[in-house]
Each structure stands twice: as C-alpha cells, then as structure tokens.
Amino acid sequence: MDFRDSPEEAAFRDQARAWLTANATPRDPAQVEPGVFEHWPSAEQMQAARAWQRRKFDAGWAGVFWPPEYGGRGGTIMQQIIWNQEERRVVTPPAVLLMGQGHVGYTLLSHGTPEQKQRWLPPTLRGEYAWCQLFSEPGAGSDFAALACAATREGDAWRIRGEKIWISDGAYADFGFLVTRTDPDGPKHKGLTCFVVDMRAPGVSVLDVRHPNGGSHFSHVRFEDLRVADADRVGAVNDGWRVALTTLMYERFFVGAWGSSGAFGGPQLRHLLELAAKCERNGRSALQDGAVRQRLAAFAVRAKALTHMSYRVLTTVSQGGIPGPEGSIVKMEFARMSQEMANFGLELMGPEAMLAGTDAPWDGVFQAALLENPCMRIAGGTDEIQRTIIGERLLGLPQEQPPPKGLPFRDMPRGGGWRSPLGDDAPRRSGAF
C-alpha cells in the first residue's frame, strides 16, 4: 500500500487545508482534549456546532462524499477521508452532528426513497437535524439480531413499543434511526424493519444514563405506543437486518477514518510523554528510566499499528468492500490501550493520582480517562462481540452454538423474552420466550 496522496488527492488536501486555515483556529497539539463520553452538549455548544456545519455547507465542504442533489460535494470517499483528517487539525465545536452526516446519512443514501432523501438529507447537512442510532437493547446489546422492540402494522402507520439502551446523542437528537421486530414468528435475522422516528413525538421518552465519570453521553429511550407513518419506514418490511448492516459498515468506516488521522493513541501518548518528562522515578526524570521508556515505546508501537490497521479498513471501503474483522481489532485494541495508558499515567503521578479536576496534574485528564474508558469498551459493540467476530472470522475458531435454522424468534432464548406489543399472552418460557 502507498500511503502518499496521489497528485489529485494532494491538490484536494491543499484546497481543504486552505479553507480550514482561513475559517478556524489551528489545534494546539499540547492542548488537553476533552473526553468523548462527557456531558450532553450545552445549548451554546449545539448552536456553535450547527453554525459550523452551516458554514461548511454554504462553502461546499459539508458531505464531501454525498451527491450534489442532496447538498453534498459529490467527491470520492478518499476525499471525504482527507477532509476528516484536515478538519481534525483545527479547533471545531463538539462533533454532535456527526452521526447524521456519518453512518445514518449514508444508510439513508443507500436505502431511502427519493422522497425520504429530499426530506431528511439536505437539512441534516445544513446542521438543522441531529440524529441518534437506536440499535442496542437491554438483554440484546451484544446480540443485535435478538432485539425485541416491537412494531405492529396499523393501516398506514406502525405502533412501536419497546426500549433501547446505550444510545449516544439520544438526549438532543431530533431524529432517530430505529430497528424494530416486525415478525416474531420468523428467524431472528428475518423479522426486522427500520424506521426514522421523531425523538420529540408523543410516546418517546429519553432517560439519562449516568457514567462513572458523572457524564451523561448515553441515554435510555422508551417507546410507548409511538405511532410512525409507513412513509417513514426505511427499506422493505422485515429487511431491516440488511439495512442495519449498511449502518454498521459505515460505522466501522468512520472508526477507520478516525484512526487514520492518528487519533487512536496519539494524543494520549503525547500527554504521557510530557507527564513522564515532569515526573520522577528513582531520583531522576521518569523519561530517563529504562522501564518507563520500554512501556512508552510499547504504547507507541501499538498506536502506530492501530493507525495502519485503520488504513486497511479505509482501503477495503474505498475499493467497494465491507470491512472485516480489522475494524473489530481497531475498536477493541484502542479501547484497551486507552485504559492502560490512563492507568500508567496515574501510576507515574504517584500520590497526586488521588487528586481530581483542576487540582490534579493536567487538569485531571488521566483521572477522567480512568472513569471514562469503560464506556469506550461498550460503545460501538462491546469487547465481547468484537472478540466473537475476531475469533470466528479471523482465527477460524468454531462458531458459537447457533440456534436451529428457521427457529422462530419468539421461541429463542433471550434475556428479556418476547414482549407482545399489544400486551397479550404471547407464549413465554421460564427465562426465555
């Protein structure tokens, strides 16, 4: 693989960098970066994010890869990646609109009707709509196809009952991309259907999920007789598994794009190096201690490996393929390494590790990371599901015991069991359906 830009890509990068330099402040590499899983954005931050998005839209830089008829630039996927890399070099408002312009937007481009695309995509690119992805459920977080949130057809509309958990951006999203169970009598992968739902409609309640660090990035969303028009269904009835796979594919793509910018481990390693230079170990700078240098070198190697593994994800997508287990490796390894880096930083601090907030070295960034990193091991697929993917698809290990082929979802063991949307006496077993 040649990691250098082609002449055309280099010209595009220069053009993007010139616009960003003229319209934003360069990011200070020494600046402590905020955590991902902190609080909901304030009203001022949301306003700033929408204004920044509108500014990009007016200048033709929003949705580099999106078709022009929906407000995009009509560029290539590599140009989108280059733009993402360059935008990371400058200070921007929180990326609270990323989901709509990312995997949800791409899913609508792939599976939405022409009317749906015109209705939702241009406003999303202009920063008017924030989105969330409504996939995970209590009892089915790591087994996506086991979801039980039920949608029942009622004429030209659907009635939805159920709940979702670990929903990023759910608290302030205008719309949600929802996957539901529409046929409990079919196999679990066959009876799913996708919808776009108004997150402020009657029947939708969004509850706060507090993190160990006190943050509230995730939400618990409940649907109680929410009515959704059939016109808001995305894809065919009971074809939601295929539609949702598109969303997950682009989610992995954005993980790769993010990792290729050096975001995975790079900032944390920089903070660790500066911390080691100021801390003492055996009467001298920790940076001069052989054992500390070995551990820092090991982190540097792992961070570089993640960057290059991210390039593999991007290469697969740019060639029209679907990312394989390399995306799972990147996601799981980054979460683990971030946790180990935070622990090592606290180890270097010694007693000062007991401090927090502005009283602590580096304004408490390592203490905050210690409490935040467990969230990283849940978001975007838990470590357990990533290990399953790697074990089965990369290492060729035997698959987990599959259910009998054709077994109706209603009869499958599941933590919560099937709950009829109408509250009737749908058959249940003890601890199962």
Side-chain angles (χ1 to χ4, degrees):
M1 170 183 272
D2 186 350
F3 297 114
R4 295 170 298 182
D5 289 337
S6 68
E8 294 77 15
E9 291 167 350
F12 178 85
R13 187 183 296 278
D14 290 343
Q15 191 180 2
R17 187 173 296 180
W19 189 87
L20 288 165
T21 301
N23 289 274
T25 303
R27 183 186 297 275
D28 179 1
Q31 183 181 8
V32 174
E33 299 193 23
V36 176
F37 302 105
E38 295 192 338
H39 298 288
W40 299 338
S42 65
E44 292 75 17
Q45 288 174 319
M46 283 298 298
Q47 185 177 10
R50 293 183 193 278
W52 173 244
Q53 184 62 29
R54 181 63 193 232
R55 196 169 182 178
K56 290 190 296 183
F57 180 87
D58 291 341
W61 289 108
V64 170
F65 183 53
W66 285 28
E69 59 266 37
Y70 303 119
R73 192 180 181 88
T76 66
I77 200 163
M78 284 309 299
Q79 288 178 334
Q80 179 68 65
I81 293 166
I82 291 170
W83 170 263
N84 293 346
Q85 293 172 344
E86 292 301 318
E87 190 176 23
R88 184 171 162 71
R89 295 175 182 271
V90 300
V91 178
T92 59
V96 293
L97 302 175
L98 186 62
M99 197 167 294
Q101 298 149 31
H103 28 293
V104 171
Y106 286 117
T107 304
L108 291 173
L109 281 170
S110 299
H111 299 282
T113 65
E115 293 76 17
Q116 290 173 339
K117 294 175 185 176
Q118 285 294 346
R119 178 182 170 193
W120 289 314
L121 294 180
T124 297
L125 271 196
R126 292 195 296 267
E128 297 168 11
Y129 295 162
W131 291 75
C132 65
Q133 179 179 308
L134 298 157
F135 280 21
S136 297
E137 292 187 8
S142 294
D143 185 5
F144 172 51
L147 65 86
C149 180
T152 306
R153 187 74 178 257
E154 295 182 345
D156 293 334
W158 295 78
R159 180 151 63 114
I160 296 175
R161 298 186 70 181
E163 55 188 330
K164 300 286 179 176
I165 191 72
W166 307 120
I167 304 304
S168 298
D169 307 337
Y172 53 86
D174 301 294
F175 292 98
F177 189 73
L178 172 68
V179 188
T180 65
R181 174 74 52 189
T182 43
D183 182 10
D185 295 316
K188 69 175 184 178
H189 292 88
K190 302 292 185 182
L192 306 176
T193 303
C194 296
F195 298 90
V196 170
V197 298
D198 182 345
M199 292 297 289
R200 296 182 177 86
V204 180
S205 59
V206 181
L207 308 176
D208 187 6
V209 176
R210 286 288 168 179
H211 311 162
N213 65 352
S216 50
H217 173 81
F218 296 118
S219 296
H220 182 178
V221 181
R222 289 176 177 165
F223 301 102
E224 299 177 14
D225 294 326
L226 169 68
R227 288 183 63 83
V228 177
D230 187 57
D232 294 345
R233 171 172 48 81
V234 179
V237 175
N238 295 331
D239 194 30
W241 177 252
R242 189 173 66 91
V243 176
L245 285 183
T246 301
T247 311
L248 296 175
M249 183 192 75
Y250 279 110
E251 184 178 45
R252 292 173 188 170
F253 163 70
F254 274 91
V255 168
W258 193 19
S260 70
S261 69
F264 289 170
Q268 297 94 329
L269 182 59
R270 188 166 55 249
H271 297 157
L272 264 182
L273 288 169
E274 294 174 2
L275 179 66
K278 295 183 178 179
C279 293
E280 287 193 359
R281 177 68 63 92
N282 299 322
R284 58 181 177 176
S285 168
L287 203 54
Q288 297 177 346
D289 184 88
V292 171
R293 294 168 67 91
Q294 286 182 17
R295 293 180 68 176
L296 291 172
F299 284 133
V301 170
R302 291 168 66 183
K304 187 61 70 176
L306 277 176
T307 299
H308 286 80
M309 188 66 76
S310 300
Y311 279 123
R312 293 188 61 167
V313 177
L314 297 183
T315 300
T316 302
V317 175
S318 66
Q319 294 175 351
I322 297 176
E326 62 268 29
S328 296
I329 295 173
V330 170
K331 194 274 173 184
M332 189 176 73
E333 175 61 6
F334 170 61
R336 291 179 54 192
M337 188 176 69
S338 296
Q339 204 161 22
E340 293 174 22
M341 283 180 162
N343 292 343
F344 187 46
L346 296 172
E347 183 182 331
L348 288 174
M349 288 182 196
E352 289 186 310
M354 301 293 289
L355 301 174
T358 55
D359 293 334
W362 298 94
D363 291 332
V365 64
F366 287 95
Q367 286 83 348
L370 176 73
L371 298 175
E372 178 185 306
N373 283 330
C375 301
M376 186 65 76
R377 302 184 74 163
I378 295 173
T382 63
D383 283 5
E384 287 72 22
I385 195 66
Q386 308 301 345
R387 287 195 181 97
T388 298
I389 294 172
I390 294 168
E392 294 180 358
R393 300 185 189 176
L394 184 67
L395 302 179
L397 299 178
Q399 291 188 352
E400 295 183 30
Q401 186 64 35
K405 190 174 183 179
L407 179 69
F409 172 79
R410 184 188 297 275
D411 296 332
M412 296 187 64
R414 182 180 179 275
W418 167 253
R419 292 177 291 278
S420 168
L422 301 178
D424 59 15
D425 296 323
R428 288 190 182 185
R429 299 174 185 170
S430 176
F433 290 53

